[in-house]
Amino acid sequence: MVKKLLIVRHAESGETDHGSKDIERYLTRSGQREAVHTGMYIKRHDLIPNLMVTSAAVRAFQTAQIIAEQIRYPAEEIQEDPELYDASVRIFLRIVNELDVNCQSVLFVGHNPTVSYMAELLTGETVGNMEPGSLVEIHFPMDSWKEVSQNTGKLIQYITPGQIEEDEHRPDN
């Protein structure tokens, strides 16, 4: 059985307002559009996850909610994990390793640089700096999330918001 991991970097967010904290930053209008397009892409390519997990940051949670709306995933079932906000790769990997064995596909919404590092660690591929609103799809040829570790995954795709918009305009979509 193949386990599928989708990692989304939260969509574009605004700057921190005077007196507010980084965790409170909201998506911009452009970021909201990016999240809609990312969700539509996930739906169109039948990448619907069994589970969605997001950072507790407002911009990440908003991204997750917008994607959930596009793929008809129940918003109340999105799991918010406060550790993902400022997670190291080690913490992120622990969260993945603790996923229920019955979950075949999971979508995480998180932050750079951790999401980029995580994609590279798991696949051994160069992803670089994931753009806001971008998506990485990784497959693991294993039965348990506990087996996921460095270089055990296959990078299926890394797609940016610009590439997602181009995909929408292809004649076969």
Side-chain angles (χ1 to χ4, degrees), residues 73-173:
Y73 184 93
E76 65 277 5
E77 291 182 19
I78 298 170
Q79 293 183 12
E80 196 172 349
D81 191 326
E83 285 188 295
L84 285 176
Y85 170 63
D86 198 17
S88 65
V89 171
R90 178 174 289 164
I91 290 170
F92 198 126
L93 182 58
R94 178 184 49 78
I95 293 167
V96 169
N97 290 152
E98 292 174 353
L99 290 169
D100 186 307
V101 69
N102 295 314
C103 180
Q104 296 303 332
S105 173
V106 63
L107 183 149
F108 280 94
V109 179
H111 308 270
N112 251 355
T114 306
V115 292
S116 297
Y117 294 160
M118 189 71 174
E120 293 183 340
L121 175 85
L122 295 176
T123 65
E125 300 284 341
T126 300
V127 172
N129 187 32
M130 285 179 67
E131 292 182 28
S134 60
L135 165 75
V136 167
E137 179 184 3
I138 304 170
H139 290 185
F140 301 92
M142 50 196 57
D143 295 325
S144 172
W145 292 103
K146 289 178 178 34
E147 300 171 54
V148 171
S149 63
Q150 186 171 358
N151 297 328
T152 58
K154 176 174 176 40
L155 179 65
I156 302 302
Q157 64 178 321
Y158 165 52
I159 189 160
T160 66
Q163 293 167 323
I164 289 171
E165 286 194 44
E166 287 176 20
D167 181 76
E168 289 174 0
H169 300 294
R170 287 188 19 225
D172 57 343
N173 282 329

